[in-house]
Amino acid sequence: MSDGDGERDEFDSVLRGLAAEGETSPSLSGAQIRRRGTARRRRRRVAASAAVTVALVATAAVAAPRLLQSHGPPASPAASAPAAPSLNPSPSPSRTGRATVSLDLGRQRVTVERGGHQLRTVPVSVRSSSTAERLTVVSKSAERSVTAPMLSSGEQYDYRAQWVVELRTDGGAPVLLLEWQFASRDGLIGVPLAENAQWLYQQLEIGDTITVHHG
């Protein structure tokens, strides 16, 4: 249907309404009625456009916070990328150079230093008549069978010891440093605590020397 047909239909509708109300003739001319109909259609179009605009604005207002929450603020460079580690970190004193180890027979303790730093002093149990001034590490065994005398009878028995470091005196006599509750004979340096025995085992390397202090 063309605009002209629509205008004629609306004009006829207006005339019929006036006739129904008992009007003998329209109070307005045909041209005025057509102008009013055109103005009315324009108002309807403006109202419809305004309704669509309001709906779009409301939809955007609801969706915007959700979009911001899902994406979140951009991460700062410091938070998104951790600092690169140093290619040449400072070495730990516990692993710098060879260990300097001393055995104090009078105080029954072993002291370990490395790189000029004292790392730990470990209580030990030693019974020795040797006058050796130095002991050298010749081998290591995480577990090893050791022969030792029983305190009550003096009979020999085999003991499965852990964290065994075999030493030699300058004269070639063997000495064992190991996890041991007490020194039952010469040639044994017992470390009562397993944790300390393991730590000494890890610190000492083959070729390291232990200086012996008699006192």
Side-chain angles (χ1 to χ4, degrees):
M1 179 184 292
S2 63
D3 289 343
D5 294 336
E7 291 177 358
R8 284 194 297 273
D9 291 342
E10 187 170 355
F11 178 70
D12 294 339
S13 176
V14 172
L15 290 179
R16 283 194 298 270
L18 293 176
E21 292 175 1
E23 296 287 342
T24 57
S25 62
S27 59
L28 300 175
S29 65
Q32 289 176 328
I33 292 174
R34 282 193 292 272
R35 283 197 297 271
R36 287 191 177 186
T38 301
R40 188 178 297 114
R41 284 195 299 274
R42 289 176 180 173
R43 286 195 298 270
R44 289 175 182 173
R45 291 171 184 171
V46 170
S49 299
V52 172
T53 302
V54 170
L56 291 176
V57 172
T59 302
V62 173
R66 296 179 181 176
L67 292 175
L68 292 176
Q69 291 176 359
S70 62
H71 292 286
S76 63
S80 59
S86 173
L87 297 179
N88 298 304
S90 300
S92 170
S94 62
R95 288 302 175 190
T96 304
R98 281 192 174 273
T100 301
V101 188
S102 61
L103 168 62
D104 190 328
L105 295 177
R107 297 182 178 181
Q108 298 281 287
R109 66 185 186 183
V110 173
T111 301
V112 180
E113 297 181 357
R114 194 183 296 273
H117 298 273
Q118 180 175 315
L119 304 182
R120 188 182 297 186
T121 296
V122 176
V124 295
S125 177
V126 187
R127 187 174 72 179
S128 176
S129 58
S130 173
T131 58
E133 299 293 335
R134 185 176 64 176
L135 302 172
T136 303
V137 179
V138 295
S139 70
K140 298 170 61 178
S141 301
E143 187 173 299
R144 171 177 166 177
S145 180
V146 177
T147 301
M150 297 181 65
L151 290 179
S152 57
S153 63
E155 296 180 359
Q156 301 289 324
Y157 73 100
D158 289 335
Y159 173 76
R160 200 67 181 171
Q162 291 184 316
W163 315 120
V164 182
V165 179
E166 184 175 353
L167 310 168
R168 285 287 188 275
T169 66
D170 289 336
V175 178
L176 296 180
L177 171 68
L178 70 167
E179 180 193 354
W180 201 264
Q181 295 299 319
F182 48 84
S184 57
R185 64 172 174 83
D186 285 352
L188 289 180
I189 303 174
V191 185
L193 294 178
E195 177 186 354
N196 286 337
Q198 182 180 5
W199 185 81
L200 284 174
Y201 179 89
Q202 294 171 340
Q203 295 298 318
L204 292 170
E205 300 293 343
I206 294 176
D208 286 349
T209 59
I210 300 176
T211 303
V212 181
H213 300 283
H214 300 267

